């Protein structure tokens, strides 16, 4: 018989916030250049990156510059598609390095140096926990206990697209209607006329609408 560990946190943001605090103090701070001061505080949330492109699943987390926040906080978002604690923590390490210089260095210079010092491996734009960092993150995950969260399948979460309708407007009298592309393709446009003003339908304007 197996028993499931009771969660120490009531919500995932509390879990992430505690994890971020430990990572900042114990992993990132010792790797920062001597005398470096982190310019802004931060908040950590589960959510999709701002302006994320549809269908782009490679962005696992993001750190927004502090100037985008009304109270000058770096906002860090971790995608709800992740559920594995080590992946979540590795993504937090990556974004907290960005936070340490308010994203000024991108993935070069300051970021690159600190990322390698803390043990992030792989491409600097898509890092993973290396062999020295991974056990530390596993230990942290064990101390934090289960994260009260389950992965979100974004493909199933998105609502099904309704049939796209085309709005057709007579440029002479303003009469308009909506129909599917399939039905509009059946119209004999060279001979069709507006049912309202009886003018040739070739003057109609078509615009996509839902």
């Amino acid at each position: 018989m197996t028993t499931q560990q009771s969660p120490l946190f009531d919500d995932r943001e509390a879990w992430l916030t505690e994890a971020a605090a430990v990572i900042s103090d114990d992993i990132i701070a010792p790797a920062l250049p001597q005398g470096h001061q982190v310019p802004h505080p931060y908040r950590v949330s589960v959510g999709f990156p701002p302006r994320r492109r549809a269908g782009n699943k490679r962005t696992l987390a993001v750190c927004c510059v502090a100037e985008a926040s009304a109270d000058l906080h770096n906002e860090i978002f971790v995608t709800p598609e992740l559920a594995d604690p080590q992946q979540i923590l590795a993504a937090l390490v990556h974004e907290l390095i960005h936070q340490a210089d308010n994203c000024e260095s991108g993935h070069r210079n300051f970021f690159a140096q600190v990322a390698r010092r803390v043990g992030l491996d792989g491409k600097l734009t898509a890092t993973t926990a290396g062999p020295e960092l991974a056990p530390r993150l596993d230990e942290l995950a064990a101390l934090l206990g289960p994260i009260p969260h389950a992965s979100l399948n974004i493909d199933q979460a998105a609502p099904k697209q309704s049939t796209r309708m085309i709005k057709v407007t007579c440029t002479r009298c303003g009469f308009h209607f909506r129909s599917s592309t399939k039905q509009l393709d059946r119209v004999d446009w060279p001979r069709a006329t507006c049912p309202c003003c009886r003018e040739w339908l070739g003057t109609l304007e078509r615009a996509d609408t839902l």
Side-chain angles (χ1 to χ4, degrees):
M1 181 174 136
T2 59
T3 57
Q4 187 173 8
Q5 184 181 354
S6 299
L8 300 177
F9 299 92
D10 294 330
D11 62 77
R12 55 195 181 184
E13 270 71 26
W15 191 97
L16 286 171
T17 299
E18 181 65 20
V22 174
I23 290 170
S24 294
D25 293 342
D26 296 349
I27 296 178
I28 294 179
L32 296 178
Q34 187 174 4
H36 178 84
Q37 297 294 318
V38 176
H40 300 286
Y42 64 86
R43 282 185 286 260
V44 186
S45 304
V46 172
F48 291 110
R51 297 190 297 276
R52 172 177 174 166
R53 292 183 179 180
N56 182 3
K57 297 184 180 181
R58 293 188 300 172
T59 304
L60 302 181
V62 68
C63 178
C64 301
V65 295
E67 289 76 11
S69 169
D71 60 357
L72 290 178
H73 278 63
N74 290 112
E75 300 284 356
I76 297 174
F77 296 97
V78 178
T79 175
E81 295 165 274
L82 286 182
D84 179 77
Q86 189 185 111
Q87 287 186 310
I88 293 172
L89 295 174
L92 269 182
V93 173
H94 183 113
E95 299 310 326
L96 285 166
I97 299 172
H98 282 309
Q99 188 269 334
D101 77 337
N102 195 28
C103 309
E104 288 186 5
S105 61
H107 292 101
R108 300 180 179 180
N109 304 322
F110 172 89
F111 176 89
Q113 294 171 9
V114 177
R116 295 314 185 202
R117 286 175 187 166
V118 302
L120 288 176
D121 276 359
K123 287 183 61 177
L124 289 170
T125 55
T127 56
T128 57
E132 294 183 4
L133 179 60
R136 300 183 68 183
L137 298 184
D138 287 338
E139 182 181 354
L140 175 56
L143 290 172
L144 293 170
I147 180 172
H149 165 74
S151 62
L152 177 69
N153 186 325
I154 189 60
D155 292 328
Q156 294 182 359
K160 291 184 178 180
Q161 177 69 53
S162 59
T163 302
R164 181 165 295 278
M165 305 295 283
I166 306 297
K167 181 179 180 181
V168 184
T169 303
C170 177
T171 56
R172 183 175 183 275
C173 70
F175 174 79
H176 64 270
F177 61 92
R178 290 177 173 82
S179 185
S180 67
T181 301
K182 180 179 179 180
Q183 295 302 320
L184 291 177
D185 287 343
R186 298 176 59 190
V187 175
D188 184 3
W189 292 101
R191 292 187 291 180
T193 59
C194 172
C196 184
C197 69
R198 305 300 179 185
E199 288 295 318
W200 174 49
L201 270 180
T203 60
L204 291 181
E205 291 183 343
R206 294 167 53 163
D208 287 350
T209 187
L210 289 180

